[in-house]
Amino acid sequence: RSRGKESNMATGADVRDILELGGGDSENTGIISKKDIINSDKKKSKKSAETLTFKRPEGMHREVYALLYSDKKDAPPLLPSDTTQGYRTVKAKLGCKRVRPWKWMPFTNPARKDGAMFYHWRRAAEEGKDYPFARFNKTVQVPVYSEQEYQMYLHDDGWTKAETDHLFDLCRRFDLRFIVIHDRYDHQQFKKRSTEDLKERYYGICSKLANIRAPPGTDLKMLVFDAGHERRRKEQLERLYNRTPEQVSEEEYLIQELRKIESRKKEREKKAQDLQKLITAADTTTEMRRAERKATKKKLPQKKETEKPTVPETAGIKFPDFKSSGVTLRSQRMKLPSSVGQKKIKALEQMLTELGVDLNPMPTEEIVQMFNELRSDLVLLYELKQAFANCEYELQMLRHRYEALAKAGNLGPLSGECTNADAHSSIGMEEGKGDGKDSIIDVVGAPLTPNSRKRRESASSSSSLKKVKKP
């Protein structure tokens, strides 16, 4: 008997193993051990967690996975349903109350004055009520005047009373749509009027009636229609619409030239400001040098020990001040800031080599101070030389252009007393006289930049050649 029981138990374990139903020794033998009693809650929680969690497949987006399954692993629905309550609990919300009856009933639209009868489905409880869409029928309140008011306040020599009544009747019929009113206006019986005339007459009468009927002491917002302004606006629109392609292209060309002139003017003003800054910086540095020399001649040792000479802010280079706590090298004060460009650095090195100054001297306190001042002065000198070269180049260009215009036109020879302003004014006048688009329009002159030299040379040479060839 015991052998039969063991064979039956073995076959049951084999079946569970094949079907992957699990089950340990305690389940097979039926004997409850101490571990089963202690760990019973943990096993239940593990099983519940395993059944609830379902991992999203790799490569599948979260939105696509959410469309396939919910948190409870419900199957996707075949028809659109309410997803707020979950797929499983969606049911038809059928109440036990009685269904409200609907009725096929007639109705009239208050917006229509012909008494037309229409039919539609409506709840039986709403029988006899007004048409719900009648509240959207908005009409314009056109004022009504009496015979006495017209004779006293509204009389106009250019308008008869019959013509005014006809205008107000059309305003009531077409809700102040003046284009339609002008189209339906009786031009055969009455005088031919424009849309502006109709508007001016209507709004003039409305403002007069409002002023007459208003109680004393009230501030009124008067309706004013400027017919002359409206007529001018329409004339301008007609002229704009009737332009030829040549006129459109000419206007675009003039707009582009105006933009160029404005950009040149801004650049010229900026260059003038930069040049003025350089001049003031040079003046301040020279004044400070003179003051320092006078102070050294007076021999004030106390001030030398207490006050350290600093580089002026208006100089060419602003060296950073190392005021942070910690150990720093004095040679760091000789390092050029990042604001100095490579072109200036190369020019500075070249000037230092010409002067026979070492590029990396011994960084003592006095040497560092004097070396930084020297380099700032050299950079300032370099910028002043550049500005001076640009001014000289511009002056030569203006002289050449003036001579070319003098040969081609009626200008007199350039005298030595002629200034830049005279050259600019004469050139602007001559160029303004030209009718062709090839003439150079330059009211304020070109900016003081070396990059524009080639363009200015080519433009001036081409314009002068064309003007010489014309006669």
Side-chain angles (χ1 to χ4, degrees), residues 8 19 25 46 92 189 211 260 273 302 395 412 430 434:
N8 290 333
L19 296 177
D25 297 334
K46 285 181 181 180
Q189 185 179 357
N211 193 13
K260 289 178 183 178
Q273 291 176 1
Q302 293 180 356
L395 184 59
E430 285 297 320

Side-chain angles (χ1 to χ4, degrees), residues 449-467:
T449 54
N451 295 329
S452 61
R453 294 179 180 177
K454 294 181 180 178
R455 288 179 291 178
R456 293 292 301 276
E457 285 177 355
S458 60
S460 61
S461 61
S462 62
S463 62
S464 60
L465 287 172
K466 286 179 182 178
K467 288 179 179 179

Side-chain angles (χ1 to χ4, degrees), residues 204-217:
I205 290 176
C206 289
S207 61
K208 288 179 182 178
L209 289 175
N211 193 13
I212 293 164
R213 296 172 182 176

Side-chain angles (χ1 to χ4, degrees), residues 49-268:
E50 288 176 359
T51 54
L52 290 175
T53 57
F54 182 76
K55 291 183 179 180
R56 178 166 52 90
E58 293 182 0
M60 182 182 287
H61 292 284
R62 176 173 55 83
E63 292 81 4
V64 180
Y65 175 69
L67 292 174
L68 294 177
Y69 294 100
S70 64
D71 295 336
K72 297 181 181 180
K73 295 172 63 177
D74 296 328
L78 298 177
L79 296 173
S81 57
D82 189 7
T83 58
T84 56
Q85 299 179 356
Y87 296 135
R88 187 178 294 175
T89 57
V90 173
K91 295 179 181 178
K93 297 178 182 179
L94 300 176
C96 299
K97 296 181 181 180
R98 190 175 179 181
V99 179
R100 292 175 294 180
W102 289 71
K103 191 175 180 182
W104 181 258
M105 59 181 69
F107 74 96
T108 56
N109 190 352
R112 299 175 65 104
K113 296 181 181 180
D114 54 355
M117 186 71 67
F118 303 97
Y119 291 87
H120 65 169
W121 285 101
R122 205 170 181 182
R123 291 194 181 102
E126 297 178 355
E127 189 174 2
K129 293 184 179 180
D130 295 333
Y131 184 57
F133 295 98
R135 64 180 185 273
F136 298 110
N137 181 30
K138 303 295 181 181
T139 57
V140 180
Q141 298 297 327
V142 179
V144 180
Y145 52 86
S146 62
E147 182 72 24
Q148 185 179 0
E149 288 177 341
Y150 183 85
Q151 295 297 334
M152 292 178 64
Y153 305 106
L154 309 178
H155 179 70
D156 191 357
D157 296 335
W159 289 76
T160 61
K161 188 176 185 302
E163 194 174 3
T164 307
D165 294 340
H166 179 60
L167 172 63
F168 272 72
D169 184 24
L170 292 176
C171 290
R172 291 187 195 95
R173 285 176 59 190
F174 301 112
D175 291 335
L176 300 182
R177 296 180 178 90
F178 282 97
I179 303 299
V180 182
I181 292 169
H182 180 264
D183 182 66
R184 300 297 179 90
Y185 196 79
D186 194 355
H187 296 287
Q188 296 179 355
Q189 185 179 357
F190 303 107
K191 186 179 178 181
K192 191 172 183 180
R193 306 280 186 178
S194 63
T195 310
E196 289 77 21
D197 296 335
L198 301 179
K199 286 184 179 181
E200 187 178 15
R201 178 61 174 166
Y202 173 78
Y203 288 113
I205 290 176
C206 289
S207 61
K208 288 179 182 178
L209 289 175
N211 193 13
I212 293 164
R213 296 172 182 176
T218 57
D219 295 332
L220 294 176
K221 293 182 179 179
M222 305 299 291
L223 297 174
V224 179
F225 177 75
D226 193 354
H229 174 74
E230 188 69 14
R231 292 189 188 96
R232 289 192 298 271
R233 186 183 67 84
K234 288 188 176 180
E235 287 177 3
Q236 290 175 358
L237 286 175
E238 287 180 359
R239 289 177 184 176
L240 189 67
Y241 182 75
N242 294 327
R243 290 181 303 169
T244 60
E246 291 79 10
Q247 292 175 346
V248 174
S249 61
E250 185 179 359
E251 185 177 354
E252 290 177 354
Y253 171 75
L254 291 175
I255 291 170
Q256 290 178 0
E257 292 297 327
L258 180 62
R259 288 175 182 171
K260 289 178 183 178
I261 291 169
E262 289 176 353
S263 63
R264 289 171 185 171
K265 184 178 179 182
K266 289 179 181 178
E267 290 177 359
R268 190 177 184 84

